[in-house]
Amino acid sequence: MTERKPPGVDFESFVDKQIREAAERGEFERLPGFGKPLDRPDAPYDESWWIKEKMAREQLSFLPPSLALRKEAEDAREAATRAPSERMARRIVEEINEKIRAALARPPEGPPLNLAPYDVEDVVASWRAGRERRTS
């Protein structure tokens, strides 16, 4: 645990001392990536680059819940049209419709949802049309 800054000691000199002592103990040498160049030397400067990269590695989303649901709904519709069976296509649409209905009942944070449950029969008709195109 780091020490607390003693009263009367300049904050900057206190922090510098902590860093210097940690470097002398070799604590920075055990960090992943020590001595290696940064991955993106040509990229324009972005002060939150490390946050974005960490979120990507952890597969976290930074979309507001309403936009994340819109994206999930688009992906579900696309997945339904490529589903291996009509039954699977129906199940995908019904599952996303449940989430959409729940969000309409209790709107999530973020921009307006602007989403309505999908018509299962329309999606299944698209699935059938896609299947006929692939088999002919």
Side-chain angles (χ1 to χ4, degrees), residues 18-31 34:
Q18 296 264 322
I19 292 170
R20 182 181 45 76
E21 288 174 354
E24 288 171 358
R25 290 190 302 267
E27 294 195 18
F28 297 124
E29 294 171 10
R30 294 187 296 266
L31 295 175
F34 176 77

Side-chain angles (χ1 to χ4, degrees), residues 61-80:
S61 172
F62 48 87
L63 287 176
S66 62
L67 295 181
L69 182 56
R70 278 195 225 169
K71 173 77 171 109
E72 185 179 354
E74 289 173 16
D75 293 346
R77 183 175 177 109
E78 186 177 320

Side-chain angles (χ1 to χ4, degrees), residues 37-45 53:
L38 295 176
D39 290 337
R40 305 167 5 150
D42 299 336
Y45 179 72
E53 287 187 10

Side-chain angles (χ1 to χ4, degrees), residues 53-110:
E53 287 187 10
K54 173 75 172 167
M55 291 180 75
R57 280 193 309 274
E58 301 291 329
Q59 297 179 340
L60 299 172
S61 172
F62 48 87
L63 287 176
S66 62
L67 295 181
L69 182 56
R70 278 195 225 169
K71 173 77 171 109
E72 185 179 354
E74 289 173 16
D75 293 346
R77 183 175 177 109
E78 186 177 320
T81 59
R82 291 182 322 219
S85 68
E86 181 178 329
R87 189 163 145 197
M88 178 72 78
R90 285 181 184 279
R91 193 189 78 190
I92 292 169
V93 175
E94 288 166 359
E95 286 176 2
I96 196 63
N97 278 349
E98 285 178 31
K99 291 181 180 182
I100 293 170
R101 285 186 193 100
L104 290 172
R106 188 176 187 117
E109 292 180 30

